[in-house]
Coordinates of all heavy atoms in Angstrom, one line a residue:
V3 N 32.9 69.6 99.3 CA 32.0 69.8 98.1 C 32.7 69.2 96.9 O 33.8 69.6 96.5 CB 31.8 71.3 97.8 CG1 31.0 71.5 96.6 CG2 31.1 72.0 99.0
P4 N 32.1 68.2 96.3 CA 32.8 67.6 95.1 C 32.7 68.5 93.9 O 31.8 69.3 93.8 CB 31.9 66.3 94.9 CG 30.6 66.7 95.4 CD 30.8 67.6 96.6
G5 N 33.7 68.3 93.0 CA 33.6 69.0 91.7 C 32.7 68.3 90.8 O 32.1 67.2 91.1
P6 N 32.5 68.8 89.6 CA 31.7 68.1 88.6 C 32.2 66.8 88.2 O 33.4 66.5 88.3 CB 31.6 69.1 87.4 CG 32.9 69.9 87.6 CD 33.2 70.0 89.0
A7 N 31.3 65.9 87.7 CA 31.7 64.6 87.3 C 32.8 64.6 86.3 O 32.8 65.3 85.3 CB 30.5 63.9 86.7
G8 N 33.9 63.8 86.6 CA 34.9 63.6 85.7 C 35.9 64.8 85.7 O 36.9 64.8 84.9
G9 N 35.7 65.8 86.5 CA 36.6 67.0 86.6 C 36.7 67.7 85.2 O 37.8 68.1 84.9
R10 N 35.7 67.8 84.4 CA 35.8 68.3 83.1 C 35.8 69.8 83.0 O 35.9 70.3 81.9 CB 34.7 67.7 82.2 CG 34.8 66.2 81.9 CD 33.6 65.7 81.2 NE 32.4 65.7 82.0 CZ 31.3 65.3 81.6 NH1 31.1 64.8 80.4 NH2 30.2 65.4 82.4
T11 N 35.6 70.5 84.1 CA 35.6 71.9 84.1 C 36.6 72.4 85.1 O 37.1 71.7 85.9 CB 34.2 72.5 84.4 OG1 34.3 73.9 84.1 CG2 33.8 72.3 85.8
S12 N 37.0 73.7 85.0 CA 37.9 74.3 85.9 C 37.6 75.7 86.0 O 36.9 76.3 85.1 CB 39.4 74.0 85.5 OG 39.7 74.7 84.3
G13 N 38.2 76.4 86.9 CA 38.1 77.8 87.0 C 38.6 78.5 85.7 O 38.0 79.4 85.2
V14 N 39.7 78.0 85.2 CA 40.3 78.6 84.0 C 39.4 78.4 82.8 O 39.1 79.3 82.1 CB 41.7 77.9 83.7 CG1 42.2 78.4 82.4 CG2 42.7 78.2 84.9
N15 N 38.8 77.2 82.7 CA 37.8 77.0 81.6 C 36.6 77.8 81.7 O 36.1 78.3 80.7 CB 37.4 75.5 81.6 CG 38.5 74.6 81.1 OD1 39.4 75.0 80.4 ND2 38.5 73.3 81.5
L16 N 36.1 78.0 83.0 CA 35.0 78.9 83.2 C 35.2 80.3 82.7 O 34.4 80.9 82.1 CB 34.5 78.8 84.7 CG 33.2 79.5 85.0 CD1 32.1 79.0 84.2 CD2 33.0 79.4 86.5
L17 N 36.4 80.8 83.1 CA 36.8 82.2 82.6 C 36.9 82.2 81.1 O 36.5 83.2 80.5 CB 38.1 82.6 83.3 CG 38.0 82.9 84.8 CD1 39.4 83.2 85.3 CD2 37.0 84.0 85.1
A18 N 37.4 81.1 80.5 CA 37.6 81.1 79.1 C 36.2 81.1 78.3 O 36.1 81.5 77.2 CB 38.4 79.9 78.7
L19 N 35.1 80.7 79.0 CA 33.8 80.6 78.4 C 33.1 82.0 78.4 O 32.1 82.2 77.8 CB 32.9 79.7 79.2 CG 33.1 78.2 78.9 CD1 32.3 77.4 79.9 CD2 32.7 77.8 77.5
R20 N 33.8 83.0 79.0 CA 33.1 84.3 79.1 C 32.9 84.9 77.7 O 33.9 85.3 77.1 CB 33.9 85.2 80.0 CG 33.7 85.0 81.5 CD 34.7 85.7 82.4 NE 34.8 87.1 82.1 CZ 35.4 88.0 82.9 NH1 36.0 87.6 84.0 NH2 35.5 89.3 82.5
S21 N 31.7 85.0 77.3 CA 31.3 85.7 76.1 C 29.9 86.2 76.4 O 29.2 85.7 77.3 CB 31.3 84.8 74.9 OG 30.3 83.9 74.9
H22 N 29.5 87.2 75.6 CA 28.2 87.8 75.8 C 27.0 86.8 75.7 O 26.2 86.7 76.5 CB 27.9 88.9 74.8 CG 26.6 89.5 74.8 ND1 26.2 90.3 75.9 CD2 25.5 89.5 74.0 CE1 25.0 90.7 75.7 NE2 24.5 90.3 74.6
N23 N 27.1 86.0 74.6 CA 26.0 85.0 74.4 C 26.0 83.9 75.4 O 24.9 83.5 75.9 CB 26.1 84.4 73.0 CG 25.7 85.4 71.9 OD1 25.2 86.5 72.2 ND2 26.1 85.1 70.7
T24 N 27.2 83.4 75.8 CA 27.2 82.4 76.8 C 26.8 82.9 78.2 O 26.1 82.2 78.9 CB 28.7 81.9 77.0 OG1 29.1 81.4 75.7 CG2 28.8 80.8 78.0
A25 N 27.1 84.2 78.5 CA 26.7 84.8 79.7 C 25.1 84.9 79.8 O 24.5 84.7 80.8 CB 27.3 86.2 79.9
L26 N 24.5 85.2 78.6 CA 23.1 85.3 78.6 C 22.4 84.0 78.9 O 21.5 83.9 79.7 CB 22.6 85.7 77.2 CG 22.9 87.2 76.8 CD1 22.5 87.4 75.3 CD2 22.2 88.2 77.7
V27 N 23.0 82.9 78.4 CA 22.4 81.6 78.6 C 22.7 81.1 80.1 O 21.8 80.6 80.7 CB 23.1 80.5 77.6 CG1 22.7 79.1 78.0 CG2 22.7 80.8 76.2
L28 N 23.9 81.4 80.6 CA 24.2 81.0 82.0 C 23.3 81.8 82.9 O 22.9 81.2 83.9 CB 25.7 81.3 82.2 CG 26.7 80.2 81.7 CD1 28.1 80.8 81.8 CD2 26.6 78.9 82.5
D29 N 23.1 83.0 82.6 CA 22.2 83.8 83.6 C 20.8 83.3 83.6 O 20.2 83.2 84.7 CB 22.2 85.3 83.1 CG 21.6 86.2 84.1 OD1 21.9 86.1 85.3 OD2 20.7 87.0 83.7
L30 N 20.3 82.9 82.5 CA 18.9 82.3 82.5 C 18.9 80.9 83.2 O 18.0 80.6 83.9 CB 18.4 82.2 81.1 CG 17.9 83.5 80.4 CD1 17.4 83.2 79.0 CD2 16.8 84.1 81.2
L31 N 19.9 80.2 83.0 CA 20.0 78.9 83.7 C 20.1 79.1 85.2 O 19.4 78.4 85.9 CB 21.3 78.1 83.2 CG 21.2 77.4 81.8 CD1 22.6 77.0 81.4 CD2 20.3 76.3 81.8
R32 N 20.8 80.0 85.6 CA 20.9 80.3 87.1 C 19.6 80.8 87.6 O 19.1 80.3 88.7 CB 22.0 81.3 87.3 CG 22.1 81.6 88.9 CD 23.4 82.4 89.2 NE 23.4 83.7 88.6 CZ 24.3 84.6 89.0 NH1 25.2 84.4 89.9 NH2 24.3 85.8 88.4
R33 N 18.9 81.7 86.9 CA 17.6 82.2 87.4 C 16.5 81.2 87.4 O 15.6 81.2 88.1 CB 17.2 83.4 86.5 CG 18.0 84.7 86.9 CD 17.4 85.9 86.3 NE 17.8 86.1 84.9 CZ 17.1 86.9 84.1 NH1 16.0 87.5 84.4 NH2 17.6 87.1 82.8
A34 N 16.7 80.2 86.5 CA 15.7 79.1 86.4 C 15.7 78.2 87.6 O 14.7 77.5 88.0 CB 15.8 78.3 85.1
G35 N 16.9 78.1 88.3 CA 17.0 77.3 89.5 C 17.0 75.8 89.2 O 17.2 75.3 88.0
A36 N 16.6 75.0 90.2 CA 16.7 73.6 90.0 C 15.6 73.0 89.1 O 15.7 71.9 88.5 CB 16.5 72.9 91.4
D37 N 14.5 73.8 88.9 CA 13.5 73.4 87.9 C 14.0 73.3 86.5 O 13.4 72.6 85.7 CB 12.3 74.3 88.0 CG 11.5 74.1 89.4 OD1 11.7 73.1 90.0 OD2 10.8 75.1 89.7
G38 N 15.0 74.1 86.2 CA 15.5 74.1 84.9 C 14.7 74.9 83.8 O 13.7 75.5 84.1
I39 N 15.3 74.9 82.6 CA 14.7 75.7 81.5 C 15.0 74.9 80.2 O 16.1 74.3 80.1 CB 15.3 77.1 81.5 CG1 14.6 78.0 80.5 CG2 16.8 77.1 81.3 CD1 15.0 79.5 80.6
S40 N 14.1 75.0 79.3 CA 14.3 74.3 78.0 C 15.1 75.1 77.0 O 15.3 76.4 77.2 CB 12.9 74.0 77.3 OG 12.3 75.2 76.9
R41 N 15.7 74.5 76.0 CA 16.4 75.2 75.0 C 15.6 76.2 74.3 O 16.0 77.3 73.9 CB 17.1 74.2 74.0 CG 18.2 73.4 74.6 CD 18.7 72.4 73.6 NE 19.8 71.6 74.1 CZ 19.6 70.5 74.9 NH1 18.3 70.1 75.2 NH2 20.6 69.8 75.3
L42 N 14.3 75.9 74.0 CA 13.4 76.8 73.3 C 13.2 78.1 74.2 O 13.3 79.2 73.7 CB 12.1 76.1 73.1 CG 11.0 77.0 72.3 CD1 11.6 77.5 71.0 CD2 9.7 76.3 72.2
E43 N 13.0 77.9 75.5 CA 12.9 79.0 76.4 C 14.2 79.8 76.5 O 14.1 81.1 76.6 CB 12.5 78.5 77.8 CG 11.0 78.0 77.8 CD 10.8 77.3 79.1 OE1 11.7 76.6 79.7 OE2 9.6 77.4 79.6
L44 N 15.3 79.2 76.4 CA 16.6 79.9 76.4 C 16.7 80.8 75.2 O 17.1 81.9 75.2 CB 17.8 78.9 76.5 CG 18.0 78.2 77.8 CD1 19.0 77.1 77.7 CD2 18.5 79.3 78.8
A45 N 16.3 80.2 74.0 CA 16.3 81.0 72.8 C 15.4 82.2 72.9 O 15.7 83.3 72.5 CB 15.9 80.1 71.6
E46 N 14.2 82.0 73.4 CA 13.2 83.1 73.5 C 13.7 84.1 74.5 O 13.6 85.3 74.3 CB 11.9 82.5 74.0 CG 11.2 81.6 72.9 CD 9.9 81.0 73.5 OE1 9.8 81.0 74.7 OE2 9.1 80.4 72.7
G47 N 14.3 83.7 75.6 CA 14.8 84.6 76.6 C 16.0 85.4 76.3 O 16.2 86.5 76.8
T48 N 16.9 84.8 75.4 CA 18.1 85.5 75.0 C 18.0 86.2 73.7 O 18.9 87.1 73.4 CB 19.3 84.5 75.0 OG1 18.9 83.5 74.0 CG2 19.5 83.8 76.3
G49 N 17.1 85.8 72.8 CA 17.0 86.4 71.5 C 18.0 85.7 70.5 O 18.1 86.1 69.4
L50 N 18.6 84.6 71.0 CA 19.5 83.8 70.1 C 18.7 82.8 69.3 O 17.6 82.4 69.7 CB 20.6 83.1 71.0 CG 21.5 84.0 71.8 CD1 22.3 83.1 72.8 CD2 22.3 84.9 71.0
T51 N 19.3 82.3 68.2 CA 18.7 81.3 67.4 C 18.7 80.0 68.2 O 19.7 79.7 69.0 CB 19.4 81.1 66.1 OG1 20.7 80.6 66.3 CG2 19.4 82.5 65.3
P52 N 17.8 79.1 67.9 CA 17.9 77.7 68.6 C 19.2 77.0 68.3 O 19.7 76.3 69.1 CB 16.7 77.0 67.9 CG 15.7 78.1 67.6 CD 16.6 79.2 67.1
Q53 N 19.7 77.2 67.1 CA 21.0 76.6 66.7 C 22.1 77.1 67.6 O 23.0 76.3 68.1 CB 21.3 76.8 65.3 CG 20.4 76.1 64.3 CD 19.1 76.9 64.0 OE1 18.9 78.0 64.6 NE2 18.2 76.4 63.2
A54 N 22.1 78.4 67.8 CA 23.2 79.0 68.7 C 23.1 78.5 70.1 O 24.1 78.2 70.8 CB 23.1 80.5 68.6
V55 N 21.8 78.4 70.6 CA 21.6 78.0 72.0 C 22.0 76.5 72.1 O 22.7 76.1 73.1 CB 20.1 78.1 72.4 CG1 19.8 77.3 73.7 CG2 19.8 79.6 72.6
S56 N 21.8 75.7 71.1 CA 22.2 74.3 71.2 C 23.7 74.2 71.2 O 24.2 73.3 72.0 CB 21.6 73.5 69.9 OG 20.2 73.4 70.0
K57 N 24.4 75.0 70.5 CA 25.8 74.9 70.5 C 26.4 75.3 71.9 O 27.3 74.7 72.4 CB 26.4 75.8 69.4 CG 26.2 75.3 68.0 CD 26.9 76.2 67.0 CE 26.7 75.7 65.6 NZ 27.2 76.6 64.5
I58 N 25.8 76.4 72.4 CA 26.3 76.9 73.7 C 26.0 75.9 74.8 O 26.9 75.6 75.6 CB 25.6 78.3 74.0 CG1 26.2 79.3 73.1 CG2 25.9 78.7 75.5 CD1 25.4 80.7 73.2
T59 N 24.8 75.4 74.8 CA 24.4 74.4 75.9 C 25.2 73.1 75.8 O 25.5 72.5 76.8 CB 22.9 74.1 75.9 OG1 22.5 73.7 74.6 CG2 22.1 75.4 76.3
A60 N 25.5 72.7 74.6 CA 26.3 71.5 74.4 C 27.7 71.7 75.0 O 28.3 70.8 75.7 CB 26.5 71.2 72.9
R61 N 28.3 72.9 74.8 CA 29.6 73.2 75.3 C 29.5 73.3 76.9 O 30.4 72.8 77.6 CB 30.1 74.6 74.7 CG 31.5 74.9 75.1 CD 32.1 75.9 74.1 NE 31.4 77.2 74.2 CZ 30.7 77.7 73.3 NH1 30.4 77.1 72.2 NH2 30.1 78.9 73.5
L62 N 28.4 73.9 77.4 CA 28.3 74.0 78.8 C 28.1 72.6 79.5 O 28.7 72.3 80.5 CB 27.1 74.8 79.2 CG 27.2 76.3 78.8 CD1 25.9 77.0 79.2 CD2 28.3 77.0 79.5
R63 N 27.4 71.7 78.8 CA 27.2 70.3 79.3 C 28.5 69.6 79.3 O 28.9 68.8 80.2 CB 26.1 69.6 78.5 CG 24.7 70.1 78.7 CD 23.7 69.3 78.1 NE 23.7 67.9 78.6 CZ 23.0 66.9 78.1 NH1 22.2 67.1 77.0 NH2 23.0 65.7 78.7
E64 N 29.3 69.8 78.2 CA 30.5 69.1 78.0 C 31.5 69.4 79.2 O 32.3 68.6 79.6 CB 31.2 69.4 76.7 CG 32.5 68.8 76.4 CD 33.1 69.2 75.1 OE1 32.4 69.9 74.3 OE2 34.3 68.9 74.9
R65 N 31.4 70.7 79.6 CA 32.3 71.2 80.6 C 31.7 71.0 82.0 O 32.3 71.5 83.0 CB 32.7 72.6 80.4 CG 33.4 72.8 79.0 CD 34.1 74.1 78.8 NE 34.7 74.2 77.5 CZ 35.6 75.1 77.2 NH1 36.1 75.9 78.1 NH2 36.1 75.1 76.0
G66 N 30.6 70.4 82.1 CA 30.0 70.1 83.4 C 29.3 71.3 84.1 O 28.9 71.2 85.3
L67 N 29.0 72.3 83.3 CA 28.4 73.5 83.9 C 26.8 73.4 83.8 O 26.1 74.2 84.5 CB 28.8 74.8 83.1 CG 30.3 75.2 83.4 CD1 30.8 76.1 82.3 CD2 30.4 75.8 84.8
A68 N 26.3 72.6 82.9 CA 24.9 72.4 82.8 C 24.6 70.9 82.7 O 25.4 70.1 82.3 CB 24.4 73.1 81.5
A69 N 23.4 70.6 83.2 CA 23.0 69.1 83.2 C 21.5 69.1 82.9 O 20.8 70.0 83.1 CB 23.3 68.5 84.5
E70 N 21.0 67.9 82.5 CA 19.6 67.7 82.3 C 18.9 67.7 83.6 O 19.4 67.2 84.7 CB 19.3 66.3 81.6 CG 19.7 66.3 80.2 CD 19.2 65.1 79.4 OE1 18.4 64.3 80.1 OE2 19.6 64.9 78.3
A71 N 17.7 68.3 83.6 CA 16.9 68.4 84.8 C 15.5 67.7 84.6 O 14.6 68.0 85.3 CB 16.7 69.9 85.2
G72 N 15.5 66.8 83.6 CA 14.2 66.1 83.3 C 13.6 66.5 82.0 O 14.3 67.2 81.2
R73 N 12.4 66.2 81.9 CA 11.7 66.5 80.6 C 10.4 67.2 81.0 O 9.8 67.0 82.0 CB 11.4 65.3 79.8 CG 12.7 64.7 79.2 CD 12.4 63.4 78.4 NE 13.6 62.9 77.8 CZ 14.2 63.3 76.7 NH1 13.6 64.3 76.0 NH2 15.3 62.7 76.2
R74 N 9.9 68.1 80.1 CA 8.7 68.9 80.3 C 7.8 68.6 79.2 O 8.2 68.5 78.0 CB 9.0 70.3 80.4 CG 7.9 71.2 80.7 CD 8.3 72.7 80.8 NE 9.3 72.9 81.8 CZ 10.1 73.9 81.9 NH1 10.0 74.9 81.0 NH2 11.0 74.0 82.9
A75 N 6.5 68.4 79.5 CA 5.5 68.1 78.5 C 5.4 69.2 77.4 O 5.5 70.4 77.8 CB 4.1 67.9 79.1
S76 N 5.3 68.8 76.2 CA 5.2 69.8 75.1 C 3.8 69.9 74.6 O 3.0 69.0 74.7 CB 6.2 69.4 74.0 OG 6.0 70.2 72.9
T77 N 3.5 71.1 74.0 CA 2.2 71.3 73.4 C 2.0 70.5 72.1 O 0.9 70.4 71.6 CB 1.9 72.8 73.2 OG1 3.0 73.3 72.4 CG2 1.9 73.6 74.5
G78 N 3.1 70.1 71.6 CA 3.1 69.3 70.4 C 4.4 68.7 70.2 O 5.5 69.3 70.4
G79 N 4.5 67.4 69.7 CA 5.7 66.8 69.5 C 6.2 66.1 70.8 O 5.5 66.0 71.7
K80 N 7.5 65.7 70.7 CA 8.1 65.0 71.9 C 8.4 66.0 73.1 O 8.5 67.2 72.9 CB 9.4 64.3 71.5 CG 10.5 65.3 71.0 CD 11.7 64.4 70.6 CE 12.8 65.4 70.2 NZ 14.0 64.6 69.8
P81 N 8.4 65.5 74.3 CA 8.7 66.3 75.5 C 10.0 67.0 75.3 O 11.0 66.5 74.7 CB 8.7 65.3 76.6 CG 7.9 64.1 76.1 CD 8.2 64.1 74.6
R82 N 10.1 68.2 75.9 CA 11.3 69.0 75.8 C 12.3 68.6 76.9 O 11.8 68.5 78.1 CB 11.0 70.5 75.9 CG 10.2 71.0 74.7 CD 9.8 72.5 75.0 NE 8.9 73.0 73.9 CZ 8.2 74.1 74.0 NH1 8.3 74.8 75.1 NH2 7.5 74.5 73.1

Side-chain angles (χ1 to χ4, degrees):
V3 179
R10 289 175 297 180
T11 188
S12 69
V14 175
N15 287 338
L16 185 56
L17 290 176
L19 281 170
R20 279 171 52 171
S21 72
H22 177 69
N23 290 347
T24 303
L26 292 175
V27 172
L28 281 168
D29 189 47
L30 283 181
L31 284 168
R32 180 167 63 168
R33 283 194 276 161
D37 291 339
I39 185 170
S40 71
R41 290 178 179 82
L42 179 59
E43 290 169 323
L44 286 170
E46 292 171 346
T48 60
L50 301 173
T51 65
Q53 293 82 359
V55 167
S56 292
K57 289 181 180 179
I58 291 171
T59 55
R61 190 161 64 248
L62 295 178
R63 291 186 65 187
E64 180 184 352
R65 302 196 182 197
L67 291 162
E70 288 192 8
R73 293 180 179 274
R74 184 178 300 162
S76 174
T77 55
K80 63 182 181 179
R82 296 174 185 165

